[in-house]
């Protein structure tokens, strides 16, 4: 039986119910990017920030250092997360599962990758990818990309309805109605191959570099001080 919590992931408590319910059908995984630098942010800090801003996902992954944080079990949909109204806090938006792509399929697992869409994360280390892909596989997500390779970071390009109805992996830019432009033109074969190749073991916490807070990026806007440095309240959130 598949584990609702990825064994290798650290847990970050999600303080609100994302909402909705899975509607059944082919299982799928959706990949997003934070538009931030993986050299300076940990998976846990981004997951905590997501939750603090009223957003969620199943996994947050730093492909440079291999750390993974999990906010939701696989059995709970991240309702309202793929197509939220601009500038809204998801906690205040009711979820209509029948019109929510995050609720489609027996499962729809959302993976937030710390990285930038115009710098495809498969161009660098894929630390921890093997364990992550094997967990997705344990939930029946087929090792294929029905919509093809995600487009370059020029904006969303939804996959055809027939492709979206099939199980497999999708970039957020390929999800109907999702405004994301990520994850960019990643090498899908290289990513999926990491599951069988055993590539990218996560570094143990004791040898991971100390991650320092960075200035906020578009997906996670925050206040700035006059001199451009993050104020103490921002640093405390990481």
């Amino acid at each position: 039986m598949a584990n609702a919590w990825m064994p290798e992931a650290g847990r970050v408590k999600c303080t609100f119910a994302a909402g909705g319910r899975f509607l059944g059908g082919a299982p799928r995984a959706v990949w997003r990017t934070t538009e931030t630098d993986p050299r300076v942010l940990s998976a846990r800090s981004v997951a905590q920030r997501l939750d603090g801003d009223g957003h969620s996902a199943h996994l947050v992954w730093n492909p440079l250092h291999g750390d993974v944080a999990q906010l939701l079990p696989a059995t709970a949909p991240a309702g309202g997360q793929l197509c939220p109204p601009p500038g809204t806090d998801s906690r205040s938006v009711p979820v209509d599962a029948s019109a929510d792509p995050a609720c489609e399929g027996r499962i729809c697992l959302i993976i937030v990758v710390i990285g930038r869409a115009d710098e495809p994360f498969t161009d660098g280390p894929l630390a921890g990818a093997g364990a992550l892909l094997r967990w997705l596989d344990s939930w029946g997500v087929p090792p294929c990309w029905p919509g093809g390779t995600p487009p370059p970071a020029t904006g969303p390009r939804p996959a055809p309805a027939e492709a979206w109805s099939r199980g497999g992996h999708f970039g957020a830019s390929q999800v109907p109605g999702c405004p994301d432009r990520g994850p960019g033109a990643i090498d899908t074969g290289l990513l999926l191959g990491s599951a069988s190749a055993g590539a990218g073991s996560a570094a143990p916490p004791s040898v991971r570099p100390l991650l320092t807070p960075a200035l906020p990026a578009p997906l996670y806007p925050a206040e700035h001080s006059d001199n451009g440095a993050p104020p103490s309240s921002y640093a405390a959130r990481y």
Side-chain angles (χ1 to χ4, degrees), residues 7 103 120 124 140 162 210 216 225 231:
C103 295
E162 180 181 356
L210 177 63
S225 62

Side-chain angles (χ1 to χ4, degrees), residues 69-135:
Q70 185 166 1
L71 284 149
L72 295 171
T75 52
Q81 301 304 302
L82 293 177
C83 304
T88 60
D89 184 318
S90 298
R91 288 169 288 200
S92 63
V93 180
V95 175
D96 177 4
S98 65
D100 187 347
C103 295
E104 294 194 31
R106 294 192 294 278
I107 55 163
C108 182
L109 301 173
I110 299 176
I111 302 97
V112 173
V113 183
I114 303 175
R116 296 188 172 97
D118 56 2
E119 300 173 2
F121 65 84
T122 52
D123 289 351
L126 295 174
L132 195 158
L133 268 294
R134 287 189 290 272
W135 184 72

Side-chain angles (χ1 to χ4, degrees), residues 134-159:
R134 287 189 290 272
W135 184 72
L136 296 178
D137 180 71
S138 75
W139 281 96
V141 178
C144 63
W145 290 75
T149 299
T154 54
R157 191 183 302 169

Side-chain angles (χ1 to χ4, degrees), residues 27-238:
R28 65 202 71 193
V30 176
W31 299 78
R32 313 182 73 174
T33 45
T34 59
E35 305 310 310
T36 52
D37 190 341
R39 294 173 299 178
V40 295
L41 292 174
S42 68
R44 176 172 291 276
S45 69
V46 171
Q48 290 171 336
R49 182 60 185 271
L50 274 171
D51 182 64
D53 287 347
H55 298 289
S56 191
H58 291 91
L59 301 179
V60 178
W61 172 45
N62 183 315
L64 184 60
H65 303 301
D67 53 318
V68 182
Q70 185 166 1
L71 284 149
L72 295 171
T75 52
Q81 301 304 302
L82 293 177
C83 304
T88 60
D89 184 318
S90 298
R91 288 169 288 200
S92 63
V93 180
V95 175
D96 177 4
S98 65
D100 187 347
C103 295
E104 294 194 31
R106 294 192 294 278
I107 55 163
C108 182
L109 301 173
I110 299 176
I111 302 97
V112 173
V113 183
I114 303 175
R116 296 188 172 97
D118 56 2
E119 300 173 2
F121 65 84
T122 52
D123 289 351
L126 295 174
L132 195 158
L133 268 294
R134 287 189 290 272
W135 184 72
L136 296 178
D137 180 71
S138 75
W139 281 96
V141 178
C144 63
W145 290 75
T149 299
T154 54
R157 191 183 302 169
E162 180 181 356
W164 174 243
S165 68
R166 297 167 55 193
H169 297 257
F170 297 86
S173 60
Q174 298 174 302
V175 176
C178 183
D180 283 16
R181 68 189 190 103
I186 61 174
D187 185 331
T188 58
L190 180 64
L191 178 62
L192 294 183
S194 64
S196 58
S201 298
S206 60
V207 299
R208 292 177 192 159
L210 177 63
L211 302 178
T212 56
L215 292 178
L219 189 58
Y220 309 111
E223 68 278 6
H224 287 243
S225 62
D226 291 339
N227 64 5
S232 58
S233 61
Y234 178 84
R237 299 176 73 171
Y238 289 85

